[in-house]
Amino acid sequence: RRVGYPEVIYCAGKTSGQVTAILKAMLEREVNILATRASRELYQEIREICPDARYSPLAGAVTIRRKEVKAPPGYIALVTAGTSDLPVAEEAAVTAELFGNRVERIVDVGVAGVHRLFFNLETIRGARVVIVVAGMEGALPSLVGGLVDKPVIAVPTSVGYGASFHGLSALLAMLNSCASGVSVVNIDNGYGAGYIASMINNL
Amino acid sequence: RRVGYPEVIYCAGKTSGQVTAILKAMLEREVNILATRASRELYQEIREICPDARYSPLAGAVTIRRKEVKAPPGYIALVTAGTSDLPVAEEAAVTAELFGNRVERIVDVGVAGVHRLFFNLETIRGARVVIVVAGMEGALPSLVGGLVDKPVIAVPTSVGYGASFHGLSALLAMLNSCASGVSVVNIDNGYGAGYIASMINNL
Amino acid sequence: RRVGYPEVIYCAGKTSGQVTAILKAMLEREVNILATRASRELYQEIREICPDARYSPLAGAVTIRRKEVKAPPGYIALVTAGTSDLPVAEEAAVTAELFGNRVERIVDVGVAGVHRLFFNLETIRGARVVIVVAGMEGALPSLVGGLVDKPVIAVPTSVGYGASFHGLSALLAMLNSCASGVSVVNIDNGYGAGYIASMINNL
Amino acid sequence: RRVGYPEVIYCAGKTSGQVTAILKAMLEREVNILATRASRELYQEIREICPDARYSPLAGAVTIRRKEVKAPPGYIALVTAGTSDLPVAEEAAVTAELFGNRVERIVDVGVAGVHRLFFNLETIRGARVVIVVAGMEGALPSLVGGLVDKPVIAVPTSVGYGASFHGLSALLAMLNSCASGVSVVNIDNGYGAGYIASMINNL
Amino acid sequence: RRVGYPEVIYCAGKTSGQVTAILKAMLEREVNILATRASRELYQEIREICPDARYSPLAGAVTIRRKEVKAPPGYIALVTAGTSDLPVAEEAAVTAELFGNRVERIVDVGVAGVHRLFFNLETIRGARVVIVVAGMEGALPSLVGGLVDKPVIAVPTSVGYGASFHGLSALLAMLNSCASGVSVVNIDNGYGAGYIASMINNL
Amino acid sequence: RRVGYPEVIYCAGKTSGQVTAILKAMLEREVNILATRASRELYQEIREICPDARYSPLAGAVTIRRKEVKAPPGYIALVTAGTSDLPVAEEAAVTAELFGNRVERIVDVGVAGVHRLFFNLETIRGARVVIVVAGMEGALPSLVGGLVDKPVIAVPTSVGYGASFHGLSALLAMLNSCASGVSVVNIDNGYGAGYIASMINNL
Amino acid sequence: RRVGYPEVIYCAGKTSGQVTAILKAMLEREVNILATRASRELYQEIREICPDARYSPLAGAVTIRRKEVKAPPGYIALVTAGTSDLPVAEEAAVTAELFGNRVERIVDVGVAGVHRLFFNLETIRGARVVIVVAGMEGALPSLVGGLVDKPVIAVPTSVGYGASFHGLSALLAMLNSCASGVSVVNIDNGYGAGYIASMINNL
Amino acid sequence: RRVGYPEVIYCAGKTSGQVTAILKAMLEREVNILATRASRELYQEIREICPDARYSPLAGAVTIRRKEVKAPPGYIALVTAGTSDLPVAEEAAVTAELFGNRVERIVDVGVAGVHRLFFNLETIRGARVVIVVAGMEGALPSLVGGLVDKPVIAVPTSVGYGASFHGLSALLAMLNSCASGVSVVNIDNGYGAGYIASMINNL
Ligand SMILES: Nc1ncnc2c1ncn2[C@@H]1O[C@H](COP(=O)(O)O)[C@@H](O)[C@H]1O
Ligand SMILES: Nc1ncnc2c1ncn2[C@@H]1O[C@H](COP(=O)(O)O)[C@@H](O)[C@H]1O
Ligand SMILES: Nc1ncnc2c1ncn2[C@@H]1O[C@H](COP(=O)(O)O)[C@@H](O)[C@H]1O
Ligand SMILES: Nc1ncnc2c1ncn2[C@@H]1O[C@H](COP(=O)(O)O)[C@@H](O)[C@H]1O
Ligand SMILES: [Mg+2]
Ligand SMILES: [Mg+2]
Ligand SMILES: [Mg+2]
Ligand SMILES: [Mg+2]
Ligand SMILES: [Mg+2]
Ligand SMILES: [Mg+2]
Ligand SMILES: [Mg+2]
Ligand SMILES: [Mg+2]
């Protein structure tokens, strides 16, 4: 692992006792730490043992900075389709930023209001790598992939109802993207997208 | 049924004997006739008993015109994503035209080459109803739905491979369209789209 | 967009803070507003900032009328299979009415009690477009489609249990309708059906 | 087993050698025999060793009558939605008839042409048990179940394309029937429907 | 409908207001009434307006008897695989009994303890029709079907976890039964099984 | 790996050139060899370079014996539901026998003819491990698991049609077995069952 | 059953009244008892009637020891991928230990930190049978299966989110294992794995 | 698009007439050309109009080089699980090489023979980006992702049978990878993986 790279705890399905035990061991190694899928209650408990822990309620993520991370020169564009996709997008942002990356957020540019996407095309095209977060029909990564010449990391979200089948619809759409240069992570996996985008931005 | 409206035979899964028997009965009623999912071989047999039958090899459709149909003043825009979607689109076109509609075809404007869609926006916006045919990620109807203020009939196609699951991906995407004004017919159902678009164009 | 057309907020998955923020911006533009998937609690908060907001508890929809909408001459028939499908049907009705349409409701005419459907056939046939809402086996749109010569917008609902798979059964049945002139929106998407029916009724 | 009841061979996935070996053993027991899913080629081979074997090409079934079967007083109504469902329906008919039942066939009464169903209601209501065969949206058994007061055996067929998913659509619809008195057998299982209907007719 | 046949309310997804309104109308017609999927709370409210209503907590069913029903001479065997399947089985029993049938219950005879099934074979074989209720692998109807010469109505239950997929596993197993004479109703549909078994027992 | 243990080639999806190249390298190591999913044509080509190769047409398997394998004292019982499951069962048998095991075959004992299973119970109970092969509803392993006190390896087969979904039905049934001591391999994976049964028999 | 073998209650979906009734009957037979899927509340009630009952909160299992069980000489290796898989693994351990087996636990060796697996290879290879518990991508059993020459019982868990589809992803991966000697039990079925591993360890 | 970047034709589902027409237009622009999913017959026809076209039979890909492409300094590691995955891997290799990249192939290192992977770890770790191709259980990308600190593009293949469900098993496993830094393209989409890997290698 690169120096300064955070260690990560995925809190879902873990008791707060398990989380704080893991955390204590990490804190001894003096590393940066990211805890995802953390409730505000869990954050309160974490702050007991680590007062400099920060919390993003939108992302549900706790961050602890103990080491300086070298920032790469480029930036990551983070494109989000709708308001309900913001938690997943913010998990990606928090992850990428803790890894030292600059993140440019372009929100609410879903295909039903596509003109807003075109207003932001310069920012998107200027990035080294683009994360696109969308639920429901999951069309945005294909559209972005057709407009920019950079790797696109697509994140399907479970936003939607009925035939969205908890994100399956968006996932399949993204996997079938007719635009080249799109690859996909798991449904709601903002963390995974932030991680791989950071890797690419640091090449 | 309106005067001049065709009668329709769905040939898949029928023997040529069954098709020609049905056809003979229809011919006696002196109506217009549409036979879909017809191979060239079947067409040859049909021509034996009905020399004025016409065949569209792309659509796999046989048409027989015996009655004049009153043409409505407006037109149907038929928007297609890729080359491989053309057979399904053409089935919709043949259907709508036999029902007396004018059809404006806009082809190969999938979201990966979205600028071509914008070149044709005037034509699409001028229609009374829009049919959008797409496979793979099925994003085009959402995009068109966001750009035009007319009913959009979306037709998913089985074009694709792997996680397209024979059109499921496109179908789900279209059902989850975040643009208002989009409704969906069965995978590869060009006929159904042409029929309902004709109904709407004739209102 | 046509003058007087409402702006729409989909409230599911949004905090009440997010909804009221969006609402305030809309209220400044003096437009009609529709907020779907709204709980009574959310409605109470909305009424704080907008005392003329109305609430349909059955539809879970908030409506705010600030502009007159020109009513088209025809009407929309809204056909519902069972009592449990009423919330989805009413979302369609509220939507269509806010867009200025007259809506004729024909309720509880599912295929198990099909004679009630026949009593209402004149009303259904007199409409310019028909919305059919049904869960479980989703057979009603096919039956209606075979009896009327108008576009049918089919809305599958998640009503049912076991092998209804949360509306999948009704959705598939409607997509496979052997009657021509049927197109389908997402499971439980009353809003979408009301919107496209309004578009068609305004042609 | 009742006297005279046939023994049955399911020929799909068996070599003609396996089928004729089983058949020879059965012939020694001087029973009636039904062989389903049999091609014409297989029938030719069967006729070599059993010249009184009969073949229904529509059902793909071979029958051999060696024993008299007592006919029950009532009859089975066999209702079919479309032309393409006929092979499955005929498998049911051949099965039920070889078991000694009278079968009244009512064909081509799918929900898109529902008036034809009403013309035949007396015949259907007169039966002791009703078999309903339908593909695509599989709505017919629900409709029949709502109109008659007899047990309905529903047979989904794999007729259809796209979102019919090889009969899944019809199967789910039938399992979710909102009419009471409907039970379901496997997709395309005409034999199973004929067998259980015969059991019921013989009570 | 036969004289004395109950009218039925499916309470799931209905407000108690809707249920009691429907009930009041029925009570005026002096019919027997069955209300399924009813909580004890709902039953308390029902008793307010109908003190002679009875409640089966296991089945979650309310019954009201106002008319005598003629009992057929035979009986229905009701075979259950495990303890957790009892609520579904009891819904079938309550239904069949309200329709005037005698029901013989054979419980806890799942295939893992198959000897208990054989102890009860005489009772099962003596019935006119057999209902078999099972979850998980759903093997019991096939086994019973192979042992008895009467129509078997199979009821898959949602009992299980993991790859039972809420009853899908049992449903598919029952549809694929290699024993003849088995037909299937929806997952957890005890009512439907009781209804059709009653129809058959009354032939 | 134990001395004398075979090396294995899975021939499906390999060209005959690829298979024979792999085989030549193996032959130099003087090991026993098993080639599964091999057509008769492929076998002919294999015999050119290895005249002592044997072929089981039922299993579609080629075996080459070059080393003696020590036989364990116990035996494997191989229980098969129907005639159409025999190819998968025989792949298991050929595999286990080449690994030095004695295999006792009990065929055609599916749950629809369960008495044949009881005739063979002694043989099954005498084995150290039991392989059970079944398609369609896949009930046999549960039944065997409830009757014997030995590990059961269940092999679902793709035998069936309609709602068997190419073996999914049998697979799910086996995974949900209510009998203890059952574990499952992939659909049609006779080889895998033979291999793990051999491992267990050699403990 | 072997002397001393426990009797087992699966508590999920049973009322505490049903559980204690079953328990009382078992206690009279003076056998060892295992109750799985038991909450702490249920345990409290059990302790009322059986003060020597023990509870594993991690496994959610109650154990009652009344008989000595003969311990086999070998041991079972229990390999777990991640912290969240521990409850399922512990259910397997408690089961196997109550059946008299020695269980060696190797935890937190998922494929993302594969070096920890290699540190423990000796312990795993020394076992007679290996249980491998993993969620998400379910890769660990394949890896272990390729490294050891003993039967591997794979247990998929429902740990994960999004495209894990409640354990389906891990289940399919394990069924498709390219390593020989792997068989699979139901999602989260720690009990089943412990049972069959115990059977194998006792051969 | 960068200078020298190829234009691409996806030949599946296109007639040879359609392909050559597209090709002729491209040839006039003097660009490099890649045609994927091309049969040898199609290649013969292409060579008629373009004698310098090259064909990779393993990849099923035609390449035409007319422009020099600047090679980036790093290389792409292409890791393949089994022999049957080679066609998909080679499509990725041909794509990446035509885009000017150096590709290091590491074949046949599936998790069942994991030691071969470790022999090649230096080569894999030296790459700027890693493509991992695997079918069946799709475990390899997780394993590689845990061992290297570079972006991993995972390509599931349709290799396998039964519960591999044409690549679904591998796809889900890869999406659920517990290793960070893995993103996924469509089943069998070697082209897409080669394209995005090339993009990353050129950053
Ligand atoms: N009940 C509903 N179901 C589906 N889509 C809806 C619904 N209500 C509103 N919408 C759509 O959601 C859009 C608003 O989404 P949002 O910006 O997230 O509030 C509207 O323009 C509609 O297209
Ligand atoms: N068309 C059919 N569909 C389903 N099951 C059938 C069919 N024909 C025969 N069967 C069943 O298959 C059994 C014979 O199977 P087999 O012994 O494999 O020939 C019969 O006893 C029937 O239960
Ligand atoms: N019929 C079969 N089904 C599943 N896996 C098999 C089969 N035959 C062989 N195998 C496995 O495939 C491996 C050989 O695969 P390969 O190297 O592609 O020939 C063997 O070591 C076995 O693990
Ligand atoms: N093997 C492949 N798999 C997926 N997409 C491909 C493949 N080959 C080409 N493509 C995509 O298909 C586009 C060309 O499609 P078309 O215009 O239909 O020939 C290319 O620009 C690529 O984005
Ligand atoms: Mg791009
Ligand atoms: Mg629009
Ligand atoms: Mg109509
Ligand atoms: Mg009825
Ligand atoms: Mg029977
Ligand atoms: Mg057992
Ligand atoms: Mg091994
Ligand atoms: Mg890594």
Side-chain angles (χ1 to χ4, degrees), chain A residues 1-2 5 128 148-153 171 175-176 180-186 191 195-196 199-200 203, chain H residues 1-2 5 128 148-153 171 175-176 180-186 191 195-196 199-200 203:
Chain A
R1 289 291 155 93
R2 285 198 190 77
Y5 255 40
R128 264 171 86 86
V148 309
D149 198 26
K150 295 289 163 46
V152 170
I153 308 300
L171 171 64
L175 286 167
N176 284 287
S180 304
V182 177
S183 70
V184 187
V185 296
N186 194 5
Y191 161 75
Y195 188 101
I196 194 169
M199 270 184 163
I200 295 173
L203 284 178
Chain H
R1 291 286 156 92
R2 284 196 190 79
Y5 255 41
R128 264 172 86 85
V148 309
D149 198 26
K150 295 289 164 45
V152 170
I153 307 301
L171 171 65
L175 286 166
N176 284 287
S180 304
V182 177
S183 71
V184 187
V185 296
N186 195 5
Y191 163 76
Y195 188 101
I196 194 169
M199 271 185 162
I200 295 173
L203 283 178

Side-chain angles (χ1 to χ4, degrees), chain H residues 113-200:
Chain H
V114 80
H115 51 279
R116 285 193 297 267
L117 179 66
F118 288 95
F119 290 155
N120 292 281
L121 216 47
E122 282 317 280
T123 310
I124 303 175
R125 284 187 167 146
R128 264 172 86 85
V129 52
V130 186
I131 298 172
V132 185
V133 183
M136 299 173 77
E137 86 273 67
L140 194 57
S142 290
L143 190 61
V144 171
L147 293 168
V148 309
D149 198 26
K150 295 289 164 45
V152 170
I153 307 301
V155 192
T157 73
S158 54
V159 167
Y161 63 88
S164 90
F165 295 125
H166 310 291
L168 180 65
S169 168
L171 171 65
L172 293 182
M174 292 173 185
L175 286 166
N176 284 287
S177 177
C178 55
S180 304
V182 177
S183 71
V184 187
V185 296
N186 195 5
I187 297 163
D188 292 336
N189 191 3
Y191 163 76
Y195 188 101
I196 194 169
S198 171
M199 271 185 162
I200 295 173

